[in-house]
Amino acid sequence: SGAGGATSKRPARGPFPQYALAYELHRFAFKQDPANKGVLHTQQLASYCIHPKYFGDLFTYSGWAICAGTSCALSVPVAMVWSFIVFVCPNSDTYLATKYCAQWEEYERKTATLIPFLRGRA
C-alpha cells in the first residue's frame, strides 16, 4: 500500500523471471568476450546446474500451478520434468558434449543436471 493507503497497480513479480533473465544476460556477456570463444559457460548460475534456465522455468511454472491449485495446472510441472528428463536435457547435453568435448566431461561429472545440488541424471 502506498501513501494515503492507496494500493499499487503493479503486478506482483517473483524472482524467477529475473533469474532466467540474469542467467541469459550473464551468458550473453560471457559469449561476447573473445577470450571465451570455444569455452563452455560454467559460471554463476551454471555452476549450480547444467540447465539453470530450465530449472527457473520449472520453478516458475510450479509456483503458478500451486497457486492455481487445480489438477490440470499441477500436471504442467510434472509434464515439464518428464520432457526435460526424456527429451530436452539429453538433447542439450549431447550438443554440449559434442561442442565442448574437452570441458564437458568434468563439468557434467561435478554439476547437477537440472535441480541444483541434486546429483545424477535430472
Side-chain angles (χ1 to χ4, degrees), residues 36-63:
N36 293 327
K37 183 164 180 64
V39 176
L40 179 63
H41 179 249
T42 62
Q43 300 173 355
Q44 292 189 345
L45 295 173
S47 68
Y48 297 110
C49 68
I50 296 170
H51 304 286
K53 185 162 182 331
Y54 300 149
F55 172 70
D57 292 346
L58 176 62
F59 199 90
T60 299
Y61 281 90
S62 296

Short mmCIF file of all heavy atoms in Angstrom, two decimals, residues 36-63:
data_model
loop_
_atom_site.label_atom_id
_atom_site.label_comp_id
_atom_site.label_asym_id
_atom_site.label_seq_id
_atom_site.Cartn_x
_atom_site.Cartn_y
_atom_site.Cartn_z
N ASN A 36 36.55 -16.00 -24.43
CA ASN A 36 35.71 -17.16 -24.10
C ASN A 36 35.27 -17.95 -25.33
O ASN A 36 34.44 -18.85 -25.20
CB ASN A 36 34.48 -16.70 -23.31
CG ASN A 36 34.87 -16.16 -21.96
OD1 ASN A 36 35.83 -16.62 -21.35
ND2 ASN A 36 34.15 -15.17 -21.49
N LYS A 37 35.82 -17.63 -26.48
CA LYS A 37 35.45 -18.38 -27.70
C LYS A 37 35.82 -19.85 -27.52
O LYS A 37 36.94 -20.18 -27.18
CB LYS A 37 36.16 -17.79 -28.92
CG LYS A 37 35.75 -18.48 -30.22
CD LYS A 37 36.15 -17.65 -31.41
CE LYS A 37 35.77 -18.31 -32.71
NZ LYS A 37 34.35 -18.47 -32.91
N GLY A 38 34.84 -20.71 -27.71
CA GLY A 38 35.06 -22.14 -27.56
C GLY A 38 35.11 -22.62 -26.12
O GLY A 38 35.47 -23.76 -25.86
N VAL A 39 34.72 -21.76 -25.18
CA VAL A 39 34.75 -22.11 -23.75
C VAL A 39 33.32 -22.37 -23.27
O VAL A 39 32.41 -21.58 -23.53
CB VAL A 39 35.38 -20.98 -22.91
CG1 VAL A 39 35.32 -21.31 -21.42
CG2 VAL A 39 36.82 -20.73 -23.35
N LEU A 40 33.12 -23.48 -22.58
CA LEU A 40 31.82 -23.83 -22.02
C LEU A 40 31.48 -22.87 -20.88
O LEU A 40 32.30 -22.64 -19.99
CB LEU A 40 31.86 -25.28 -21.52
CG LEU A 40 30.60 -25.83 -20.88
CD1 LEU A 40 29.45 -25.88 -21.88
CD2 LEU A 40 30.89 -27.24 -20.35
N HIS A 41 30.27 -22.32 -20.90
CA HIS A 41 29.83 -21.40 -19.85
C HIS A 41 29.46 -22.20 -18.60
O HIS A 41 28.48 -22.94 -18.60
CB HIS A 41 28.62 -20.59 -20.34
CG HIS A 41 28.10 -19.64 -19.33
ND1 HIS A 41 26.88 -19.81 -18.73
CD2 HIS A 41 28.63 -18.52 -18.80
CE1 HIS A 41 26.67 -18.82 -17.88
NE2 HIS A 41 27.72 -18.03 -17.91
N THR A 42 30.26 -22.05 -17.55
CA THR A 42 30.05 -22.80 -16.30
C THR A 42 30.06 -21.90 -15.08
O THR A 42 30.26 -22.37 -13.97
CB THR A 42 31.15 -23.88 -16.14
OG1 THR A 42 32.42 -23.23 -16.06
CG2 THR A 42 31.14 -24.86 -17.28
N GLN A 43 29.86 -20.62 -15.27
CA GLN A 43 29.96 -19.65 -14.17
C GLN A 43 28.58 -19.29 -13.62
O GLN A 43 27.57 -19.53 -14.25
CB GLN A 43 30.65 -18.38 -14.66
CG GLN A 43 32.04 -18.60 -15.17
CD GLN A 43 32.63 -17.34 -15.79
OE1 GLN A 43 31.96 -16.33 -15.91
NE2 GLN A 43 33.87 -17.41 -16.18
N GLN A 44 28.60 -18.65 -12.46
CA GLN A 44 27.41 -18.15 -11.77
C GLN A 44 26.33 -19.23 -11.70
O GLN A 44 26.57 -20.28 -11.16
CB GLN A 44 26.94 -16.85 -12.40
CG GLN A 44 27.92 -15.72 -12.15
CD GLN A 44 27.38 -14.36 -12.56
OE1 GLN A 44 26.40 -14.24 -13.28
NE2 GLN A 44 28.04 -13.33 -12.10
N LEU A 45 25.14 -18.99 -12.23
CA LEU A 45 24.06 -19.95 -12.10
C LEU A 45 24.38 -21.29 -12.75
O LEU A 45 23.94 -22.34 -12.29
CB LEU A 45 22.76 -19.38 -12.68
CG LEU A 45 22.20 -18.16 -11.94
CD1 LEU A 45 21.03 -17.56 -12.69
CD2 LEU A 45 21.82 -18.52 -10.52
N ALA A 46 25.19 -21.27 -13.81
CA ALA A 46 25.57 -22.51 -14.49
C ALA A 46 26.53 -23.34 -13.66
O ALA A 46 26.79 -24.50 -14.00
CB ALA A 46 26.18 -22.19 -15.85
N SER A 47 27.03 -22.82 -12.57
CA SER A 47 27.89 -23.61 -11.69
C SER A 47 27.06 -24.48 -10.74
O SER A 47 27.59 -25.41 -10.15
CB SER A 47 28.84 -22.72 -10.90
OG SER A 47 28.14 -21.94 -9.95
N TYR A 48 25.78 -24.19 -10.61
CA TYR A 48 24.90 -24.96 -9.73
C TYR A 48 24.21 -26.11 -10.45
O TYR A 48 23.92 -27.13 -9.84
CB TYR A 48 23.85 -24.06 -9.08
CG TYR A 48 24.46 -23.00 -8.20
CD1 TYR A 48 24.44 -21.67 -8.58
CD2 TYR A 48 25.07 -23.34 -7.01
CE1 TYR A 48 25.01 -20.69 -7.78
CE2 TYR A 48 25.64 -22.37 -6.20
CZ TYR A 48 25.61 -21.04 -6.59
OH TYR A 48 26.17 -20.09 -5.80
N CYS A 49 23.86 -25.90 -11.70
CA CYS A 49 23.26 -26.97 -12.50
C CYS A 49 23.54 -26.69 -13.98
O CYS A 49 23.75 -25.55 -14.38
CB CYS A 49 21.78 -27.15 -12.23
SG CYS A 49 20.70 -25.82 -12.77
N ILE A 50 23.53 -27.75 -14.78
CA ILE A 50 23.85 -27.62 -16.19
C ILE A 50 22.78 -26.83 -16.94
O ILE A 50 23.08 -26.10 -17.87
CB ILE A 50 24.02 -29.02 -16.81
CG1 ILE A 50 25.24 -29.72 -16.18
CG2 ILE A 50 24.17 -28.94 -18.33
CD1 ILE A 50 25.38 -31.19 -16.53
N HIS A 51 21.54 -26.93 -16.49
CA HIS A 51 20.42 -26.28 -17.19
C HIS A 51 19.68 -25.31 -16.25
O HIS A 51 18.51 -25.54 -15.91
CB HIS A 51 19.47 -27.34 -17.73
CG HIS A 51 20.13 -28.33 -18.62
ND1 HIS A 51 20.53 -28.02 -19.90
CD2 HIS A 51 20.50 -29.62 -18.41
CE1 HIS A 51 21.10 -29.08 -20.44
NE2 HIS A 51 21.11 -30.06 -19.55
N PRO A 52 20.33 -24.22 -15.84
CA PRO A 52 19.67 -23.32 -14.89
C PRO A 52 18.42 -22.63 -15.43
O PRO A 52 17.49 -22.36 -14.69
CB PRO A 52 20.76 -22.29 -14.54
CG PRO A 52 21.72 -22.35 -15.67
CD PRO A 52 21.67 -23.75 -16.19
N LYS A 53 18.38 -22.38 -16.72
CA LYS A 53 17.19 -21.73 -17.28
C LYS A 53 15.99 -22.67 -17.22
O LYS A 53 14.90 -22.27 -16.88
CB LYS A 53 17.44 -21.25 -18.70
CG LYS A 53 16.26 -20.48 -19.25
CD LYS A 53 16.64 -19.66 -20.44
CE LYS A 53 15.52 -18.84 -20.99
NZ LYS A 53 14.18 -19.31 -20.83
N TYR A 54 16.20 -23.94 -17.54
CA TYR A 54 15.11 -24.92 -17.44
C TYR A 54 14.65 -25.05 -15.99
O TYR A 54 13.46 -25.18 -15.71
CB TYR A 54 15.54 -26.28 -17.96
CG TYR A 54 15.96 -26.30 -19.41
CD1 TYR A 54 16.92 -27.19 -19.86
CD2 TYR A 54 15.41 -25.43 -20.34
CE1 TYR A 54 17.31 -27.23 -21.18
CE2 TYR A 54 15.80 -25.45 -21.68
CZ TYR A 54 16.75 -26.36 -22.09
OH TYR A 54 17.14 -26.39 -23.40
N PHE A 55 15.60 -25.02 -15.05
CA PHE A 55 15.23 -25.08 -13.63
C PHE A 55 14.38 -23.87 -13.25
O PHE A 55 13.38 -24.00 -12.56
CB PHE A 55 16.48 -25.16 -12.74
CG PHE A 55 16.15 -25.02 -11.28
CD1 PHE A 55 15.49 -26.04 -10.62
CD2 PHE A 55 16.48 -23.87 -10.58
CE1 PHE A 55 15.17 -25.92 -9.27
CE2 PHE A 55 16.16 -23.74 -9.24
CZ PHE A 55 15.50 -24.77 -8.58
N GLY A 56 14.77 -22.69 -13.71
CA GLY A 56 14.00 -21.48 -13.42
C GLY A 56 12.60 -21.57 -14.00
O GLY A 56 11.61 -21.19 -13.34
N ASP A 57 12.48 -22.08 -15.21
CA ASP A 57 11.15 -22.26 -15.83
C ASP A 57 10.32 -23.25 -15.01
O ASP A 57 9.14 -23.00 -14.74
CB ASP A 57 11.29 -22.78 -17.27
CG ASP A 57 11.88 -21.77 -18.22
OD1 ASP A 57 11.95 -20.56 -17.87
OD2 ASP A 57 12.29 -22.17 -19.33
N LEU A 58 10.92 -24.36 -14.61
CA LEU A 58 10.22 -25.36 -13.81
C LEU A 58 9.75 -24.77 -12.49
O LEU A 58 8.61 -24.97 -12.08
CB LEU A 58 11.14 -26.56 -13.56
CG LEU A 58 10.58 -27.65 -12.68
CD1 LEU A 58 9.33 -28.27 -13.29
CD2 LEU A 58 11.65 -28.71 -12.42
N PHE A 59 10.61 -24.02 -11.84
CA PHE A 59 10.26 -23.40 -10.56
C PHE A 59 9.11 -22.41 -10.73
O PHE A 59 8.16 -22.39 -9.95
CB PHE A 59 11.49 -22.72 -9.95
CG PHE A 59 11.37 -22.46 -8.49
CD1 PHE A 59 11.80 -23.41 -7.58
CD2 PHE A 59 10.84 -21.28 -8.02
CE1 PHE A 59 11.69 -23.19 -6.21
CE2 PHE A 59 10.74 -21.03 -6.65
CZ PHE A 59 11.16 -22.00 -5.75
N THR A 60 9.17 -21.59 -11.77
CA THR A 60 8.12 -20.61 -12.03
C THR A 60 6.78 -21.28 -12.29
O THR A 60 5.77 -20.94 -11.69
CB THR A 60 8.51 -19.72 -13.23
OG1 THR A 60 9.72 -19.03 -12.90
CG2 THR A 60 7.44 -18.70 -13.54
N TYR A 61 6.77 -22.26 -13.21
CA TYR A 61 5.52 -22.95 -13.54
C TYR A 61 4.99 -23.75 -12.37
O TYR A 61 3.78 -23.88 -12.19
CB TYR A 61 5.70 -23.83 -14.78
CG TYR A 61 5.65 -23.03 -16.05
CD1 TYR A 61 6.81 -22.48 -16.60
CD2 TYR A 61 4.45 -22.79 -16.70
CE1 TYR A 61 6.77 -21.73 -17.76
CE2 TYR A 61 4.40 -22.02 -17.86
CZ TYR A 61 5.56 -21.51 -18.38
OH TYR A 61 5.52 -20.76 -19.52
N SER A 62 5.87 -24.28 -11.53
CA SER A 62 5.42 -25.00 -10.33
C SER A 62 4.72 -24.05 -9.37
O SER A 62 3.67 -24.39 -8.81
CB SER A 62 6.61 -25.66 -9.63
OG SER A 62 7.18 -26.65 -10.44
N GLY A 63 5.27 -22.86 -9.21
CA GLY A 63 4.62 -21.86 -8.35
C GLY A 63 3.25 -21.45 -8.87
O GLY A 63 2.29 -21.36 -8.11
#
